[in-house]
Amino acid sequence: AQSVTQPDIHITVSEGASLELRCNYSYGATPYLFWYVQSPGQGLQLLLKYFSGDTLVQGIKGFEAEFKRSQSSFNLRKPSVHWSDAAEYFCAVGVNQAGTALIFGKGTTLSVSS
Amino acid sequence: GAVVSQHPSRVICKSGTSVKIECRSLDFQATTMFWYRQFPKKSLMLMATSNEGSKATYEQGVEKDKFLINHASLTLSTLTVTSAHPEDSSFYICSARDRQGGSPLHFGNGTRLTVT
């Protein structure tokens, strides 16, 4: 069965510091992987996605993620965090490129300290 | 970019009443829409898949008679929570898939339902 694990429930990072949010997935076939961000009381915004090809994926807002098949991971990174990045981040695996029937991780709350 | 509008953003209703949540794709046609429920500090849980012109497909454990889904047009799906109870209080989010396919889902901004 498909599953997504985000080991870190809450992370606090200083503004300007680098960030890495972890995501591990379990899926029998080629995974379609997504990272979404959710601001308080808001819906989800797609940050980036991986379908195939280059394992390092660039997204919006300066985020990137690296797909590592051997580790079943798709960690999200950002070199320098801004206070506006404070939000909830969800990793998800889908069965196709359209991301239908997404399975979400439980999310990681990012707090940014000044 | 593609926009999905969800309305209302917040609603408070009394136990036993019904409430309808609308999900509209504003600049594209959506053959498929999805309804998710999000509990506090929890992930999003897929409730059902709504296909235009046909019955919705519900996930295991979701009561179809309680969460009525209608997808009458290519731009509108509605979720009606019937005979609401306090335990139905949650954050409900819809998403839509562009009819032309190939693009990831577009999410609405969610609806915070509080049942008193």
Side-chain angles (χ1 to χ4, degrees):
Chain A
Q2 303 167 47
S3 67
V4 177
T5 302
Q6 292 179 249
D8 305 305
I9 297 174
H10 192 175
I11 285 182
T12 300
V13 175
S14 298
E15 189 169 17
S18 63
L19 168 71
E20 182 169 35
L21 302 182
R22 295 184 291 165
C23 173
N24 294 97
Y25 67 91
S26 174
Y27 187 58
T30 301
Y32 297 92
L33 297 162
F34 305 81
W35 272 101
Y36 287 89
V37 60
Q38 183 183 32
S39 297
Q42 299 293 311
L44 278 75
Q45 181 182 25
L46 178 67
L47 285 176
L48 47 79
K49 59 188 183 289
Y50 171 78
F51 296 156
S52 63
D54 193 348
T55 57
L56 185 62
V57 180
Q58 302 298 320
I60 63 172
K61 302 185 179 184
F63 285 93
E64 66 178 27
E66 185 171 12
F67 170 63
K68 293 185 177 180
R69 184 183 296 276
S70 61
Q71 299 178 18
S72 297
S73 69
F74 188 56
N75 295 347
L76 181 72
R77 300 194 296 248
K78 186 170 184 177
S80 177
V81 169
H82 188 263
W83 64 267
S84 60
D85 293 324
E88 188 88 11
Y89 291 81
F90 290 95
C91 180
V93 61
V95 298
N96 54 38
Q97 293 186 21
T100 52
L102 289 171
I103 305 298
F104 286 87
K106 291 188 176 181
T108 298
T109 301
L110 172 65
S111 297
V112 180
S113 61
S114 56
Chain B
V3 176
V4 173
S5 174
Q6 192 171 337
H7 178 81
S9 58
R10 291 179 178 272
V11 59
I12 300 173
C13 70
K14 293 184 178 181
S15 289
T17 62
S18 296
V19 61
K20 180 185 288 187
I21 302 169
E22 293 186 348
C23 180
R24 293 181 185 273
S25 56
L26 296 186
D27 54 0
F28 65 97
Q29 293 183 325
T31 51
T32 307
M33 289 186 173
F34 303 87
W35 288 95
Y36 294 85
R37 180 174 180 177
Q38 185 180 30
F39 295 94
K41 302 301 182 183
K42 297 288 187 181
S43 182
L44 285 83
M45 180 188 73
L46 179 64
M47 299 174 65
T49 301
S50 164
N51 294 298
E52 187 265 338
S54 63
K55 291 183 179 181
T57 303
Y58 290 81
E59 296 298 305
Q60 190 173 10
V62 178
E63 298 177 62
K64 60 182 64 176
D65 293 332
K66 180 168 190 58
F67 298 100
L68 300 179
I69 291 174
N70 183 278
H71 193 158
S73 77
L74 285 172
T75 59
L76 174 64
S77 176
T78 60
L79 168 67
T80 301
V81 183
T82 63
S83 187
H85 289 278
E87 55 264 32
D88 297 326
S89 299
S90 193
F91 193 60
Y92 294 86
I93 302 177
C94 72
S95 66
R97 177 185 176 188
D98 193 317
R99 183 182 190 182
Q100 296 182 353
S103 60
L105 294 176
H106 307 287
F107 283 83
N109 280 336
T111 297
R112 170 70 61 191
L113 170 63
T114 303
V115 184
T116 60

